Amino acid sequence: KRQRQNRNHRILKEIGYQREAVLEYAKQWAKGRNPRYLDFEHMGGDCTNFASQCIYAGSGVMNYTPTMGWYYSSGSNRSPSWTGVVYLYNFLTGNKSAGPYGVETNEKGVEPGDIVQLGNKNGYYHSPVVVDVAGNNILVAAHSYDAYMRPLDSYIYEKVRFIHIQGVRNW
């Protein structure tokens, strides 16, 4: 297991990403709302909030770094990456500290429990969660137009990126 030390000499350890827990959470909450989290449906959309909840179900670790971390304490005390499409991408692909981390991949490198982001010429706007991969058929769960086991190719989008969650670190 890879380990890193910070200036306080705490050791950062790999703890693993529990994909089955992500899939169980997505199945339970794709068509409903977990009352522990604010519903952002009418405040710009709930898709990345739902994606973050799913990732958290599989990671169990938040990163409380102000502004640049990934955490949710309440609707008014959360990081931009918890609910913002681009901010989630930046956190996952750039995280070198505690919490989940990933890498951009293509459709061949995606697994259940990973994240897809859909976009257009103005940027990325939607963050579905991959719940199944059967050949070339990727099925997702999402909020803001709630969906479970929806074929990715049923969405209309101009560009797509896939984030493969590589693991989770904790102190």
Side-chain angles (χ1 to χ4, degrees):
K1 294 188 179 209
R2 293 180 296 166
Q3 298 181 342
R4 274 199 16 217
Q5 280 187 286
N6 74 355
R7 59 189 127 100
N8 297 329
H9 304 290
R10 294 186 303 165
I11 296 176
L12 199 55
K13 298 176 185 156
E14 286 288 334
I15 63 168
Y17 185 55
Q18 307 301 316
R19 293 181 183 278
E20 283 302 317
V22 175
L23 302 181
E24 289 170 21
Y25 189 93
K27 184 176 184 178
Q28 180 177 359
W29 295 107
K31 302 262 178 128
R33 299 295 183 269
N34 184 333
R36 290 183 296 187
Y37 299 95
L38 184 63
D39 179 1
F40 293 89
E41 183 82 27
H42 302 290
M43 294 177 270
D46 200 54
C47 67
T48 305
N49 178 39
F50 176 68
S52 286
Q53 291 172 41
C54 290
I55 295 167
Y56 181 64
S59 67
V61 179
M62 292 186 189
N63 180 317
Y64 290 95
T65 304
T67 309
M68 302 310 289
W70 177 76
Y71 64 90
Y72 180 99
S73 296
S74 70
S76 60
N77 182 8
R78 67 186 192 284
S79 63
S81 60
W82 190 269
T83 53
V85 176
V86 175
Y87 298 107
L88 178 62
Y89 172 86
N90 290 342
F91 173 78
L92 290 171
T93 61
N95 183 24
K96 305 287 186 227
S97 188
Y101 62 93
V103 63
E104 187 171 343
T105 187
N106 60 29
E107 62 275 357
K108 303 281 188 230
V110 76
E111 296 178 46
D114 288 341
I115 304 299
V116 180
Q117 292 192 326
L118 307 179
N120 60 27
K121 66 181 185 289
N122 298 318
Y124 289 90
Y125 57 79
H126 195 43
S127 298
V129 177
V130 177
V131 292
D132 194 19
V133 179
N136 291 333
N137 198 14
I138 296 171
L139 302 175
V140 298
H143 277 185
S144 297
Y145 306 112
D146 295 1
Y148 181 69
M149 299 295 274
R150 179 176 173 176
L152 182 60
D153 63 10
S154 71
Y155 285 92
I156 298 170
Y157 53 89
E158 294 175 23
K159 57 187 179 178
V160 61
R161 63 186 177 194
F162 300 90
I163 306 167
H164 173 65
I165 309 294
Q166 295 177 296
V168 182
R169 299 182 196 97
N170 201 3
W171 297 109

